[in-house]
Amino acid sequence: MSHLTDERRRLLTQCLDGLREQDQWHPFQNFVLGLLPHDGYADVRPSAVRNDFGRDAVARTPDGRPCFVAVSFTCDLTKIRHDAQRWTQDPNREPAEVMLFITNDSPQNTKVSKWKAAVQDEFGLELRLHNGRTILQTATREGVWRETCTRLAIPGHRQGYLKIAPYNSALVRQALKVRPPEWLRQRVPLPEWKELVLNVNDLHSRLILGKPGAGKTTTLFEQLERAQPPAVLVVDLNFAAPIQWEGLLDEAAGGAVIVVDDVHERLDPFLSLCNALRARLNDVPAITHHYDRVVLLATARGHEWEALRPKIPAAVLHDVGLAPHAAMTLSGLDVQACRRLIELCRDEWKLTIADRLLRQAAAAAAEREATPLYVISMLAAPRSRNDRDLRDADLAGLPEDVRGWWQRYWADLDASSQGVLRLVRLFWGANTPPTPALLGAAAQSCHISPAELSKRLGVLERSLWLTRTAGVPHCLDVQLEVIELDGLWYDLWDRFVFGLDADVDTHTRLHNGTGAFYYQHVAPRTRSQAEYKRHLAAAAHHFKAVGQLARAPAEKALSLNNASILYSALAGLETTWEGRRKWLDKAIAAVEESVAIYRELGLRGDLAMSRNNASNLYADLAGLETTREGRRKWLDQAIAAVEESVAIRRELGLRGDLASSRNNAS
């Protein structure tokens, strides 16, 4: 057994044990049922959550026989007989010859033989058992492991994108963090949905624009649901782990949908994707590899996109199918649609809403931002109360936009609930799913007891602050934006991350994500230069930790390159020659080590990135020299570095990156 498989099994075992300890049966059920097609089971159809009868799904076995499926954390004959008996009492049951019992336990073969005989004698069913050993074997296989990580939020892969093929609605929903069905099963169709195509052959590239909460991601998901493309690649634009666009496009060759949500958050990597796709489309082999069948679906906030669009050459957007006519701008809901959405919430959540308040709420929403999330947010307060009544006070002094609702709700939360949300915010800021085990460890480090954490998660779920998928809580972007963080919480977070007793993979992801979060989001929003400098230094500290932890040389090289960028930014804040030189020396040492690793590994695209970075640093050092000879020495190194970067990027056809290197060279 390889070391890689050992590590996968250890991570999966740890995750499944956590689900069992916290009685997260539903995520476990979804996960193991999702494995069945990989073991040859067909037509797998889950039952309702916590079905009263003894079946959690029906399917056909690999040998074509009808079966029903029971899923359980516990495994003994009493439990198996109980589930089989409940199945026989189901008046709507389908014919079955086999009972498939799935459990995380691993009973002895001698016991299983006796159980099979008992079930055959009493119920006339063949008992088949998928136990812990079977689950581990299937879930950690090549081709399945990435899906396992997605379903259970295991940080087991960090390549920057997730490929879902064949199309899987649940995985796409989870990857996009679409508004959860637990909030509201039904949706009010938006007027623009009339433009969505019903056939994958009619699908074309599109940019979906709108206000926060307008339904951009839901519209994107709705389009995917209608077209059901054979392959979907969901991209994660993350500074800490830049995406290998060449590998992603190789995966997309022949026809796939590339999905990029919220491109306004990270314009540079999105532009790199567009340039890489454009190069493939304009290349002669593009016809052979069918890159013309690659569809790009993206979303962005309308106001932010208008500010960013001038930075993207119009020819680039045109060549990848995102010319202005391909944009869809979501409009607000009218009064009738607002009323319909309120009625759906009322009926599903069992709210009590007087007719006059229903009319008042619909009219007020239509006069303001009138997005679906605005209407849903309006009803979050009555949903969280025991009486579930919409009151006059709930409709007093209504905010103009959806952000205002969640700012109001944030101010009304108690300190414990705010603390839990702050931790959730920090985890997602660090691009690391807060699994039950990780969130529990973080809470304890912040003096929040397990009982208090469980209680607060329940309260926050009822009030729509968060939802849980596979036991992992997450909020919508607009909610994350109003969660306030300060120096104390950053200190607590750093203490937790550096002191965490976890596997190398989890530790690496936390450090990488935290460094990127501090650099991209926290530092630019600080109010003073001292705070700005503090967060840059903290980010560099986290990237340095990645270099010490990383087992993969490429990961170490990336962290060193990222650290060098931070050291360079810190140098720019210094007011003395000595201060700038100290940081630039650290930056040069880091980037040169990164260059050496990439050169040894033969990763030419990454080598070009680091050499381009090095050229900037050499030029900065030249600026500190006081003699002609000193300046010339560093400028010669800068020119050599950038010329190598230019040559590699020209050879690889990375046109957008080539333009950046050419600009540096000039």
Side-chain angles (χ1 to χ4, degrees), residues 490-504:
Y490 294 128
D491 290 342
L492 289 170
W493 179 253
D494 289 342
R495 196 176 307 144
F496 160 68
V497 173
F498 280 100
L500 179 65
D501 181 16
D503 59 274
V504 172

Side-chain angles (χ1 to χ4, degrees), residues 556-621:
K556 181 175 182 178
L558 173 61
S559 71
L560 288 165
N561 187 73
N562 288 343
S564 74
I565 293 171
L566 272 297
Y567 294 145
S568 174
L570 286 164
L573 298 177
E574 294 291 337
T575 57
T576 66
W577 184 94
E578 292 79 7
R580 287 195 293 273
R581 184 62 189 251
K582 179 191 74 171
W583 286 115
L584 285 175
D585 284 344
K586 290 171 73 75
I588 290 290
V591 78
E592 288 182 344
E593 188 176 354
S594 173
V595 164
I597 294 172
Y598 282 139
R599 198 183 298 281
E600 183 179 348
L601 294 174
L603 299 175
R604 294 175 59 72
D606 294 315
L607 174 61
M609 171 187 68
S610 282
R611 286 293 275 167
N612 190 69
N613 182 22
S615 73
N616 288 328
L617 295 171
Y618 295 142
D620 288 341
L621 279 172

Side-chain angles (χ1 to χ4, degrees), residues 150-454:
T150 301
R151 287 188 183 277
L152 295 176
I154 296 173
H157 62 91
R158 290 187 302 280
Q159 63 186 56
Y161 62 90
L162 172 69
K163 184 174 183 179
I164 301 171
Y167 186 81
N168 183 305
S169 178
L171 280 180
V172 171
R173 176 187 284 276
Q174 187 171 336
L176 291 174
K177 300 187 183 71
V178 180
R179 190 192 76 202
E182 292 84 358
W183 274 30
L184 197 63
R185 285 191 294 271
Q186 298 187 62
R187 295 191 291 262
V188 172
L190 302 178
E192 292 78 16
W193 288 7
K194 296 175 183 176
E195 301 176 35
L196 301 180
V197 299
L198 301 175
N199 192 307
V200 68
N201 296 321
D202 298 326
L203 197 60
H204 57 273
S205 295
R206 188 184 290 280
L207 176 65
I208 303 168
L209 303 173
K211 299 175 182 176
K216 298 182 294 297
T217 308
T218 302
T219 299
L220 191 155
F221 179 65
E222 180 71 17
Q223 176 60 92
L224 292 172
E225 286 286 274
R226 295 185 184 193
Q228 301 271 309
V232 177
L233 293 156
V234 182
V235 177
D236 174 20
L237 302 180
N238 178 26
F239 167 83
I243 300 161
Q244 303 299 318
W245 299 118
E246 303 304 303
L248 181 145
L249 292 175
D250 287 343
E251 296 252 32
V257 176
I258 300 175
V259 175
V260 192
D261 204 13
D262 291 334
V263 300
H264 59 275
E265 292 282 350
R266 295 282 284 120
L267 182 65
D268 289 343
F270 176 67
L271 181 55
S272 295
L273 167 61
C274 291
N275 278 311
L277 178 57
R278 184 191 189 204
R280 295 285 180 103
L281 288 169
N282 293 335
D283 202 10
V284 174
I287 300 173
T288 307
H289 292 93
H290 303 296
Y291 287 108
D292 56 332
R293 297 182 190 171
V294 175
V295 173
L296 186 58
L297 294 181
T299 72
R301 291 185 180 176
H303 181 72
E304 285 89 336
W305 177 254
E306 287 305 312
L308 293 171
R309 189 170 59 177
K311 299 180 181 180
I312 306 178
V316 173
L317 291 176
H318 179 273
D319 287 355
V320 298
L322 294 180
H325 68 269
M328 171 190 284
T329 301
L330 302 180
S331 57
L333 303 176
D334 61 22
V335 175
Q336 298 305 320
C338 288
R339 182 186 178 99
R340 176 59 182 147
L341 184 52
I342 293 170
E343 290 171 339
L344 287 175
C345 294
R346 177 198 63 193
D347 297 343
E348 188 166 326
W349 299 343
K350 296 180 172 54
L351 304 179
T352 302
I353 304 178
D355 286 345
R356 66 175 181 83
L357 291 179
L358 193 154
R359 292 193 299 272
Q360 182 181 337
E367 291 170 0
R368 289 167 174 79
E369 199 169 58
T371 62
L373 185 57
Y374 186 96
V375 176
I376 290 173
S377 302
M378 177 187 291
L379 303 174
R383 185 184 192 273
S384 66
R385 292 195 290 258
N386 291 332
D387 60 16
R388 304 236 166 179
D389 286 350
L390 180 66
R391 303 168 184 168
D392 286 285
D394 295 324
L395 302 181
L398 299 186
E400 291 299 317
D401 56 31
V402 69
R403 182 185 175 92
W405 275 114
W406 294 101
Q407 285 175 325
R408 174 189 289 190
Y409 293 149
W410 171 260
D412 291 338
L413 289 174
D414 59 76
S416 293
S417 295
Q418 287 187 346
V420 171
L421 285 174
R422 284 180 168 122
L423 288 176
V424 171
R425 171 75 180 105
L426 285 162
F427 270 108
W428 286 114
N431 200 35
T432 304
T435 61
L438 279 177
L439 184 58
Q444 285 196 304
S445 74
C446 297
H447 309 294
I448 301 173
S449 70
E452 184 66 16
L453 174 62
S454 178

